[in-house]
Amino acid sequence: MTLPSPFIAALRDALPDASLTADAERIAPHLIEWRGRYRGQADWLALPGSTEEVARIVRLASAHGVALVAQGGRTGLVGAGVPRAGELPVSFARLRRLRALDPADGSLIGEAGLPLAQAQAAANEAGLLLPLTIASEGSATLGGIAATNAGGVHVLRYGMARDLVLGLEAVLADGRVWHGLSRLRKDNTGYDLKHLLVGSEGTLGLITAVAVKLVPATPHRSVALVGLDSPEAALALLTRARGALGDTLNAAELMPRFGIELAIRHLGADDPLGPSHPWFLLLETASGWAPARLAAAMEDLLAAEMEAGRIGAALIAQSEAQAEALWALRHGLSEAQKHEGGSIKHDIAVPVGAVPGFLTEALAAVTAQVPGCRPCPFGHLGDGNLHFNISEPEGGDRDAFLAQWEAVNRTVHDIVARWGGSISAEHGIGWMKVAEHARLADPAKLAAQRAIKRALDPHNIFNPGRILAADSL
Amino acid sequence: MTLPSPFIAALRDALPDASLTADAERIAPHLIEWRGRYRGQADWLALPGSTEEVARIVRLASAHGVALVAQGGRTGLVGAGVPRAGELPVSFARLRRLRALDPADGSLIGEAGLPLAQAQAAANEAGLLLPLTIASEGSATLGGIAATNAGGVHVLRYGMARDLVLGLEAVLADGRVWHGLSRLRKDNTGYDLKHLLVGSEGTLGLITAVAVKLVPATPHRSVALVGLDSPEAALALLTRARGALGDTLNAAELMPRFGIELAIRHLGADDPLGPSHPWFLLLETASGWAPARLAAAMEDLLAAEMEAGRIGAALIAQSEAQAEALWALRHGLSEAQKHEGGSIKHDIAVPVGAVPGFLTEALAAVTAQVPGCRPCPFGHLGDGNLHFNISEPEGGDRDAFLAQWEAVNRTVHDIVARWGGSISAEHGIGWMKVAEHARLADPAKLAAQRAIKRALDPHNIFNPGRILAADSL
């Protein structure tokens, strides 16, 4: 299935040459998702150079009934940005200007294709912080983090992308531009269109620019790694850390011994606390004021916990290099797992207080379902979001293991649902979880989501089939 | 126009006696808004005792085409909760249980009618903070603060109500209950229904319970009042305060000398810094950790500012009683203004950096439009939200002055729009600003809001005519 030629002809009339290509070599990288689970197809690629060009593309797509697939940094993991035959990918790679940065407001406005890392660097230069920290920040774009409501390791302090997005500019289904690049902190003028587009994965409109909130810089930090007996002990430590460290607490990352061992084996990491603890919690505090007090507060907390016998060994980084090394352990877990064969992944969240109970139940269920499998659950304890990943049995058959992906997903998602959790904490629904979303979402919510999609994208031209199956609308 | 008798008969069948009344004396307080601008009409009042009863009311209202008007603490200011003839007010006064409080999660779940102050007290007892601080918190309810996206004095640190709402339970137009009382921090499973209902002023569904986020307690605070030459000087101080105090900065409230004088004259307030400064900034920092450093950081900042000649006199509260007295000045401004005759009010926001420019332009415009009028602009400089209130000329004619309300509103709102601001920062649209919203909102946003209303409330039974005029749908 190719694009209708009258549509292509009209598009070529409407756009400058640089904004449309049929060059297979240039298109190729726009067809794959980096994890390799999705491969798409497209004969054409739109690369609009302005918001007005995006509006022209949308108007023509609407008139010709052609579906549009928005692409930012293409670091998604659920297939939302991979075009299928008959769809036109729209890359924001050429819309990447930093439009404004205002230190008095604490705001930055950038176009959809501006890489997150560049926006972060601009904020840093102004003595401020754009506090969204994700592994893919070098490639991920402002438009992408808004469209997918990106998360990361600092959510417990600063919230998700939606909590940082102040305003949007977007092209809606009728081709009109919504000029919503507000820098306001307070605006109660009817339904919040911004929060509807954030996290909509390109299915309600095309985001062309984003205004984000900047916060005071936190140049000083204290990073500690703590060895623990159990997730319960980690949760208890987290609760006391919140009390002692207040909102300087930046991150609280849970890691199992198995993950640390993989990082040692495959990435040459040091073994900072030795083999005697089954679980680890990485704590980070940061602040721009009272820097001298910061490390002391961490030391006081951990000394008291150790004295009370509630934690095992603990290591407080004594330098930035040591802090980086502790973080490298955490950031290396996904990479290290790749060396152990296939991995069935879950991006789930449960209420923070439910993490230990969920883990007990889910670990028992998956090891019963796939004997010998090696779970490596890790992630953001501070916001209840775990990457519940399961490596194949040692010496097992990779393909046979991965063939159980969906069955294992269903097992885990059922348990997540019982604990009041989310089957997609960070990555979204995309293609990957459409059926699971339809199976497990609250029926009233699902009906409302379908009504919203029909209302705002009546011809289903924006990323059809993602989030909600086309035949459910 | 009264309610159709078959509807009333069906309602009496469906509800226990306690959940429906025609007692005029009990109904009377449900017909007025406390500022006195709106007076409603109703022969019946529903007082559901459970979510299931709310669902029955919605199903019957839908079947009989009767409009429902949700009522929380009835502290709104724009008429959204005042019933018109033919509408049934639905009070949540009997749905007021605290359902759960989980310190590990930092979450609280309360029914829609639970007063905010009671929820705050429960959080405090658990050593946590529900950081929404509004003048009406004794009466305002959890359902009301969610439905209207309440703001208050701590928005610059903690955000609006929507930033604190984790989940909702609500009855949607088809009578189904959305069980969305999530306590999750991360949940990317399609369009965010919560953020759509928050701030919808009862026009998309009836919120029956709310899950809110609690944050670490901040038992220690430092409060200072600073005399300044101009709003520009206040903005410059705010910017430096953000740098020096980081996210311990809790509030930054701008007040004009005229307002302080009214508080002295009518409320017997002390004059803390004397008459020589035309503007004042109230600063508050608070923290639960490093308490000893807190007051010192405020002192360091203000000493440096004074030495550099950038601020006039400054007073740092030396006790909780002094801190309260400084806050009493700020909280007394609305009350004090009442003693000076009629007041034309605006609840507006502009980008923080635009406050001085906006003030210059708006003050010139209103004093040109109404010679002798006495503006008293005050409010939340830290988030750009000003209560731009204008007292009548001394010895003037109150009615003649108030007759210019809408004309003056239009003048001010036009200037707000030019500065990229909001004509309703905190209070919402309700009845009061429907025409101004339609006149000034971005056309694409307005079209999307209308499409959303039609999609989620197809028979227009929820608070019709509020936010969006019925004949615009």
Side-chain angles (χ1 to χ4, degrees), chain B residues 190-375:
Chain B
Y191 317 138
D192 198 316
L193 200 49
K194 170 189 85 188
H195 277 297
L196 202 49
L197 286 179
V198 171
S200 68
E201 303 183 36
T203 66
L204 296 180
L206 296 184
I207 294 169
T208 52
V210 185
V212 292
K213 179 168 79 172
L214 307 178
V215 301
T218 56
H220 311 284
R221 67 172 174 172
S222 176
V223 177
L225 186 70
V226 183
L228 294 153
D229 285 343
S230 65
E232 284 81 359
L235 181 63
L237 174 59
L238 170 66
T239 303
R240 280 188 297 270
R242 279 189 210 270
L245 308 171
D247 49 15
T248 63
L249 190 62
N250 239 7
E253 299 287 306
L254 185 69
M255 297 178 279
R257 178 68 198 165
F258 175 56
I260 303 281
E261 278 167 8
L262 295 188
I264 296 168
R265 192 182 311 163
H266 299 296
L267 309 179
D270 280 340
D271 190 358
L273 295 176
S276 55
H277 304 289
W279 293 92
F280 297 86
L281 192 64
L282 180 76
L283 291 174
E284 178 178 279
T285 63
S287 175
W289 77 288
R293 186 71 200 111
L294 202 62
M298 182 74 89
E299 282 160 25
D300 291 350
L301 168 71
L302 296 183
E305 293 297 295
M306 205 167 289
E307 202 164 314
R310 287 192 291 247
I311 63 174
L315 177 70
I316 300 178
Q318 299 301 314
S319 66
E320 260 305 297
Q322 260 191 7
E324 281 300 324
L326 293 180
W327 269 113
L329 266 181
R330 162 64 184 82
H331 287 311
L333 291 189
S334 290
E335 178 64 25
Q337 260 200 298
K338 284 191 191 162
H339 296 268
E340 291 288 321
S343 175
I344 296 176
K345 294 171 193 292
H346 307 81
D347 166 42
I348 58 93
V350 293
V352 176
V355 167
F358 163 79
L359 277 175
T360 302
E361 201 178 320
L363 290 171
V366 299
T367 47
Q369 188 168 6
V370 186
C373 75
R374 295 170 299 159

Side-chain angles (χ1 to χ4, degrees), chain A residues 102-106 148-153 155-158 160 162-163 172 174 176-180 182-196 198-201 203-204 216-218 235 238-239 242-248 286-291 293-294 297 349-354 380 382-385 419-429 437 442-453 455-456 466-468, chain B residues 102-106 148-153 155-158 160 162-163 172 174 176-180 182-196 198-201 203-204 216-218 235 238-239 242-248 286-291 293-294 297 349-354 380 382-385 419-429 437 442-453 455-456 466-468:
Chain A
D102 186 332
D105 278 342
T148 62
N149 188 28
V153 298
V155 169
L156 88 166
R157 180 169 185 174
Y158 297 108
M160 303 284 284
R162 70 167 67 257
D163 300 301
L172 304 182
D174 61 1
R176 274 201 280 199
V177 179
W178 169 43
H179 298 283
S182 162
R183 293 176 292 151
L184 301 175
R185 291 336 201 243
K186 288 182 167 177
D187 181 19
N188 274 337
T189 53
Y191 316 139
D192 199 315
L193 199 49
K194 171 189 82 187
H195 277 297
L196 203 49
V198 172
S200 68
E201 304 184 37
T203 66
L204 296 180
T218 56
L235 181 63
L238 170 67
T239 303
R242 279 189 210 270
L245 308 171
D247 49 15
T248 64
S287 172
W289 77 289
R293 186 72 200 110
L294 202 61
V350 292
V352 176
H380 321 299
D383 47 48
N385 170 207
W419 285 93
S422 169
I423 64 161
S424 184
E426 289 193 319
H427 302 162
I429 301 296
H437 178 50
D442 176 274
K445 169 179 158 176
L446 204 55
Q449 289 185 342
R450 288 171 178 155
I452 291 163
K453 172 70 174 178
L456 295 188
R466 284 76 167 177
I467 300 182
L468 302 167
Chain B
D102 186 332
D105 278 342
T148 61
N149 188 29
V153 298
V155 169
L156 89 165
R157 180 169 184 173
Y158 297 109
M160 303 284 285
R162 72 166 65 256
D163 300 301
L172 304 183
D174 60 2
R176 274 202 280 199
V177 179
W178 170 42
H179 298 281
S182 163
R183 293 175 291 151
L184 301 174
R185 293 335 203 242
K186 287 182 168 177
D187 182 18
N188 275 336
T189 53
Y191 317 138
D192 198 316
L193 200 49
K194 170 189 85 188
H195 277 297
L196 202 49
V198 171
S200 68
E201 303 183 36
T203 66
L204 296 180
T218 56
L235 181 63
L238 170 66
T239 303
R242 279 189 210 270
L245 308 171
D247 49 15
T248 63
S287 175
W289 77 288
R293 186 71 200 111
L294 202 62
V350 293
V352 176
H380 321 298
D383 47 48
N385 170 207
W419 286 92
S422 169
I423 64 162
S424 184
E426 289 192 321
H427 302 161
I429 300 296
H437 178 50
D442 176 273
K445 169 180 158 174
L446 204 55
Q449 290 186 340
R450 288 169 178 156
I452 291 163
K453 171 71 173 176
L456 295 188
R466 284 75 168 179
I467 299 183
L468 301 168

Side-chain angles (χ1 to χ4, degrees), chain A residues 111-426:
Chain A
E111 290 176 342
L114 183 70
L116 174 56
Q118 288 184 28
Q120 289 168 334
N124 293 350
E125 271 171 46
L128 293 164
L129 186 67
L130 199 180
L132 191 85
T133 305
I134 53 178
S136 57
E137 59 200 29
S139 310
T141 60
L142 285 192
I145 62 158
T148 62
N149 188 28
V153 298
H154 292 147
V155 169
L156 88 166
R157 180 169 185 174
Y158 297 108
M160 303 284 284
R162 70 167 67 257
D163 300 301
L164 301 170
V165 172
L166 294 170
L168 296 175
E169 177 187 274
V171 180
L172 304 182
D174 61 1
R176 274 201 280 199
V177 179
W178 169 43
H179 298 283
L181 281 175
S182 162
R183 293 176 292 151
L184 301 175
R185 291 336 201 243
K186 288 182 167 177
D187 181 19
N188 274 337
T189 53
Y191 316 139
D192 199 315
L193 199 49
K194 171 189 82 187
H195 277 297
L196 203 49
L197 286 178
V198 172
S200 68
E201 304 184 37
T203 66
L204 296 180
L206 296 184
I207 295 169
T208 52
V210 184
V212 293
K213 178 166 81 170
L214 307 178
V215 302
T218 56
H220 310 283
R221 67 171 173 171
S222 176
V223 177
L225 186 71
V226 183
L228 295 151
D229 286 343
S230 64
E232 285 81 359
L235 181 63
L237 174 59
L238 170 67
T239 303
R240 281 188 296 271
R242 279 189 210 270
L245 308 171
D247 49 15
T248 64
L249 190 62
N250 239 8
E253 299 288 306
L254 185 69
M255 296 178 281
R257 178 68 198 164
F258 175 55
I260 303 280
E261 278 167 9
L262 295 188
I264 296 167
R265 190 180 313 161
H266 300 296
L267 309 179
D270 280 340
D271 190 0
L273 295 177
S276 54
H277 304 289
W279 293 92
F280 297 86
L281 192 65
L282 180 75
L283 291 174
E284 177 178 279
T285 64
S287 172
W289 77 289
R293 186 72 200 110
L294 202 61
M298 183 74 88
E299 282 160 26
D300 292 351
L301 168 71
L302 295 183
E305 292 297 296
M306 205 166 292
E307 203 164 316
R310 287 191 291 249
I311 63 173
L315 176 69
I316 301 179
Q318 300 299 313
S319 65
E320 259 306 295
Q322 261 192 4
E324 281 301 324
L326 293 180
W327 269 112
L329 265 182
R330 163 63 185 82
H331 287 312
L333 291 189
S334 290
E335 178 64 24
Q337 259 198 298
K338 285 191 193 163
H339 296 267
E340 292 287 322
S343 176
I344 296 175
K345 295 170 191 292
H346 307 82
D347 166 42
I348 58 93
V350 292
V352 176
V355 167
F358 163 78
L359 276 175
T360 302
E361 202 177 321
L363 290 172
V366 299
T367 47
Q369 187 167 7
V370 186
C373 75
R374 295 169 299 158
C376 183
F378 67 93
H380 321 299
L381 181 65
D383 47 48
N385 170 207
L386 297 177
H387 299 297
F388 191 82
N389 295 353
I390 304 157
S391 285
E392 65 181 62
E394 267 181 301
D397 175 337
R398 181 192 174 104
D399 289 341
F401 176 70
L402 290 180
Q404 300 177 78
W405 185 297
E406 289 183 6
V408 173
N409 276 185
R410 280 193 298 273
T411 300
V412 173
H413 291 165
D414 284 344
I415 299 171
V416 166
R418 279 203 298 279
W419 285 93
S422 169
I423 64 161
S424 184
E426 289 193 319

